[in-house]
Amino acid sequence: MAKPVLDNNTLLKIQKQAEAIPSFALQTELRKVLSAVRQHPKNPAVQFAAGLITSKAGDQQAAVQYLEKALKLSKGNEIILGALAYVFAARIKDPASALKYLQKKHFINKRDPSTLMMMANCHLDLGNTEQALTALDKAEPLVADKIRLHGMRSRCFLRMGDSSSARRELNTISKLDPTGLIAVGDMLASLPDNSPEQTSELKTVLSDALENNPEKFRDDTHRSMTAAALGNMEEAAKNFDAAFDYFVKANALQPVDQQAASFEDTEEFEVQRSVFKKDFLKNLPTGHPSGEQVFVLGMPRSGTTLIESILGGHPKIEDFGELEFFTRQLHALGITNPDNISVKQRIDKVRNNLDSAPSDGFHNIGAQYIQSNGFDKLPGKLKVDKMPQNFRALGLISTVFPNAKVIHSRRHPMDTCLSVFKNPLRGYHTTFANDLETLGRFYLEYANLMRYWKENLTLDIHEICYEDMVTDTERHARKLIKFLGLEWDDACLKNRKAKRDVNTASVWQVRQDIYKTSVQKWRVYEKQLAPLSEILADEIIRYEKGE
């Protein structure tokens, strides 16, 4: 491979070539570029190409290493900084790390709109909506895609609970986009203050487009979100049969995230129970001693956002939203990365990975978690990670943070699953939530795994039922605060209506009076949910008995 001259045009050309590699040629190109690295280890362009191709092949850890070396050899080139930011933001799903590179890139070139837009996206993912809006304000005179800019602004305002500003941005998009209301109808429908006339217009325009003009939607995800919005509008009008038909359509349209660790890999749960046993855990190296970590977890749509909003009002608690850190750690260990090997081989691989950890290995994972999320800048405060699917990582969490506090949010199995089904989620959720049978089986695996953790881990776990929280909020909120070892503060209840960032599908519920109408909601769909209730029959009995 010839030694290229290092300038931005050369790097952009390499980037374009890497993007154009078809999947069938990827392994061949990977072998070529790795051979070139061995021949030219100090060539930043070769290291850059290796990083791009390795990332495309799926090995993000190696990609970062190649790109970091290219960055060092190039003495901080802005194109390489952007590539590193993209790998962290889009591939590794680590927006905090991506921002570090983007800020350096912005310092080099303050008039690059793509850097500002990516910075805004990362801030949004982290729940930093004020910083996202600042980046968007800087990008506005520079960016050509005004529709995307106003769309991101509307997302900021939606998360802040500012419906009037969100509506203003969405209406601007409907004037700019040739498809008009269709472009933003799903988001407009989610606003809490639509008039009957606005709702009627939205239903007419969106239902007609969904049935007769699918080409007017951006993609299948846009169609799916629109169908879900129509379902919620029909439900509000008490047209339950029509509403459920739309929910079914929304799930059928939602594309499965092929990069996610699929629930069809049900062996993950068997691996967890086979590896994280009491005798095995007690022989692992000591983790991080911090007792400031609080994990709020459970099934999606089980009430975790309500709990987070109450905790976040306390002056000695800081809530950080849904952090991906332990999801990535499960993948790195091989727990959610089957590699086409048998269950026994997989169990052995995970055990070996844990056994081979150095004496300070788990302590260092804890330190990385603390530093990467900025927890070290808030000494003395409890830090809340409200990633529901961390229930899958409790074995690892107990090893890394043996003094952590865990709050397990539970909700009636039928209401939980209905809410998931009604609100199509992305990423990992698309691998289990799009049909009732798979959703029911996932709930069973979740319930069984949580019972296993309670029997086998020494973690301090507090269980709270959603129905109790909404019927006697202050009593159960006080129990939560006492469990965390803090004195009660009335701000815990006042916090719910504050204009705070909410980075979940429950954005408007956080600002309403306690949301009681979702209790026993499944009853109005009892006929349609019969296959699900059959699968969950034993869990329903357990839950209704208070077990």
Side-chain angles (χ1 to χ4, degrees):
M1 184 172 183
K3 181 178 179 180
V5 177
L6 185 67
D7 58 38
N8 283 356
N9 288 333
T10 298
L11 294 175
L12 288 170
K13 184 178 179 181
I14 292 171
Q15 200 167 37
K16 190 173 181 180
Q17 289 171 341
E19 289 169 358
I21 297 172
S23 56
F24 65 82
L26 194 54
Q27 291 305 314
T28 300
E29 293 302 317
L30 185 59
R31 285 192 294 271
K32 287 181 183 177
V33 78
L34 294 183
S35 175
V37 167
R38 289 190 290 272
Q39 295 174 42
H40 308 284
K42 295 187 177 181
N43 186 320
V46 172
Q47 296 285 349
F48 179 64
L52 295 178
I53 296 172
T54 306
S55 176
K56 189 167 184 175
D59 189 346
Q60 307 310 326
Q61 185 175 359
V64 169
Q65 291 173 351
Y66 288 123
L67 291 171
E68 284 280 14
K69 190 164 186 180
L71 185 66
K72 184 177 180 180
L73 290 167
S74 71
K75 298 182 180 179
N77 180 274
E78 64 173 299
I79 304 298
I80 301 172
L81 283 167
L84 272 160
Y86 177 81
V87 169
F88 276 104
R91 299 271 168 81
I92 301 178
K93 309 294 185 188
D94 182 357
S97 295
L99 272 172
K100 295 174 185 176
Y101 296 103
L102 289 169
Q103 286 159 354
K104 291 178 183 178
K105 187 182 179 192
H106 180 59
F107 182 78
I108 296 169
N109 183 357
K110 287 184 167 54
R111 294 189 60 79
D112 178 22
S114 65
T115 301
L116 290 163
M117 294 295 280
M118 192 182 290
M119 287 174 73
N121 248 329
C122 289
H123 280 305
L124 265 175
D125 288 342
L126 291 167
N128 305 328
T129 50
E130 292 291 350
Q131 292 94 320
L133 285 169
T134 299
L136 292 171
D137 287 344
K138 292 179 180 178
E140 185 169 14
L142 305 171
V143 71
D145 189 350
K146 301 297 185 187
I147 290 175
R148 182 176 173 227
L149 180 92
H150 288 289
M152 290 181 67
R153 271 198 182 138
S154 69
R155 287 170 60 201
C156 291
F157 291 125
L158 284 167
R159 291 182 182 180
M160 294 171 71
D162 186 348
S163 62
S164 61
S165 296
R167 187 184 299 281
R168 182 189 66 233
E169 298 294 333
L170 293 170
N171 285 335
T172 299
I173 294 172
S174 71
K175 293 172 185 175
L176 292 171
D177 193 292
T179 63
L181 279 177
I182 297 168
V184 292
D186 58 316
M187 297 176 74
L188 281 170
S190 73
L191 298 180
D193 52 359
N194 287 320
S195 68
E197 293 77 18
Q198 288 169 326
T199 299
S200 178
E201 180 185 14
L202 280 170
K203 284 172 68 173
T204 300
V205 171
L206 298 181
S207 60
D208 179 69
L210 197 65
E211 296 302 321
N212 303 313
N213 301 106
E215 73 282 354
K216 290 189 175 182
F217 294 92
R218 292 184 297 275
D219 50 32
D220 283 342
T221 296
H222 185 199
R223 293 174 68 203
S224 172
M225 300 304 288
T226 301
L230 283 163
N232 284 317
M233 284 190 280
E234 293 291 2
E235 181 178 274
K238 302 190 183 304
N239 300 324
F240 297 118
D241 288 346
F244 199 82
D245 288 344
Y246 276 123
F247 296 143
V248 170
K249 181 169 288 190
N251 282 284
L253 288 168
Q254 180 74 302
V256 173
D257 184 348
Q258 299 297 335
Q259 299 300 315
S262 173
F263 169 62
E264 292 306 317
D265 170 34
T266 53
E267 294 167 355
E268 172 201 330
F269 297 91
E270 183 179 348
V271 172
Q272 296 260 29
R273 287 187 286 267
S274 298
V275 171
F276 291 102
K277 293 181 178 292
K278 288 181 181 178
D279 291 342
F280 181 76
L281 288 170
K282 70 182 182 182
N283 292 318
L284 291 175
T286 304
H288 198 285
S290 173
E292 296 181 347
Q293 319 312 318
V294 179
F295 296 90
V296 178
L297 48 79
M299 275 287 289
R301 312 292 298 172
S302 64
T304 54
T305 300
L306 171 58
I307 292 170
E308 179 197 32
S309 72
I310 289 170
L311 298 181
H314 198 287
K316 292 187 177 180
I317 299 176
E318 198 75 25
D319 56 296
F320 284 81
E322 300 180 359
L323 303 177
E324 296 272 357
F325 184 89
F326 279 99
T327 302
R328 295 196 300 271
Q329 294 300 317
L330 290 181
H331 186 83
L333 281 172
I335 291 172
T336 57
N337 183 18
D339 290 332
N340 295 318
I341 57 179
S342 69
V343 176
K344 184 180 183 307
Q345 289 173 312
R346 194 166 161 193
I347 291 168
D348 290 343
K349 176 183 176 181
V350 175
R351 280 183 178 151
N352 289 336
N353 285 337
L354 292 168
D355 266 336
S356 61
S359 59
D360 59 353
F362 296 113
H363 180 282
N364 290 342
I365 292 174
Q368 182 186 353
Y369 175 77
I370 289 169
Q371 291 165 11
S372 65
N373 292 300
F375 294 172
D376 51 330
K377 298 174 183 175
L378 295 165
K381 278 197 169 189
L382 298 183
K383 290 85 175 176
V384 177
D385 179 345
K386 193 220 72 147
M387 172 58 80
Q389 63 173 289
N390 272 339
F391 79 83
R392 298 160 58 219
L394 273 185
L396 181 59
I397 288 171
S398 72
T399 305
V400 175
F401 289 116
N403 298 318
K405 298 277 191 179
V406 176
I407 297 170
H408 176 205
S409 181
R410 300 180 67 200
R411 184 181 181 186
H412 193 286
M414 293 297 289
D415 277 330
T416 301
C417 291
L418 172 63
S419 188
V420 171
F421 193 70
K422 282 173 50 182
N423 296 276
L425 303 169
R426 300 182 188 181
Y428 173 73
H429 306 93
T430 64
T431 68
F432 67 81
N434 292 355
D435 74 83
L436 293 175
E437 182 181 343
T438 308
L439 179 55
R441 289 192 294 111
F442 181 84
Y443 189 97
L444 294 181
E445 292 287 357
Y446 142 77
N448 287 332
L449 188 60
M450 282 307 303
R451 280 191 283 271
Y452 178 83
W453 293 140
K454 284 189 289 182
E455 292 170 5
N456 289 275
L457 302 181
T458 57
L459 278 174
D460 202 358
I461 301 176
H462 177 80
E463 287 198 338
I464 180 71
C465 293
Y466 175 79
E467 293 81 4
D468 291 336
M469 282 297 290
V470 299
T471 54
D472 195 352
T473 306
E474 183 171 341
R475 175 172 168 243
H476 290 282
R478 284 178 176 274
K479 284 185 177 181
L480 285 176
I481 298 302
K482 184 178 180 181
F483 167 70
L484 297 178
L486 299 174
E487 294 294 323
W488 173 253
D489 194 297
D490 289 339
C492 292
L493 298 182
K494 294 175 184 176
N495 185 56
R496 288 186 44 77
K497 292 188 178 182
K499 190 170 281 191
R500 56 189 285 272
D501 294 351
V502 182
N503 191 15
T504 79
S506 310
V507 58
W508 298 117
Q509 295 171 23
V510 171
R511 297 179 177 85
Q512 297 171 9
D513 290 327
I514 298 297
Y515 196 65
K516 298 178 182 178
T517 57
S518 57
V519 174
Q520 292 289 304
K521 174 65 73 67
W522 72 276
R523 293 288 183 187
V524 300
Y525 298 109
E526 197 161 0
K527 176 182 67 177
Q528 294 94 330
L529 295 175
L532 180 65
S533 61
E534 185 175 342
I535 293 170
L536 296 179
D538 290 342
E539 289 302 324
I540 293 169
I541 292 170
R542 280 196 182 100
Y543 190 83
E544 293 180 349
K545 283 183 175 180
E547 295 178 5

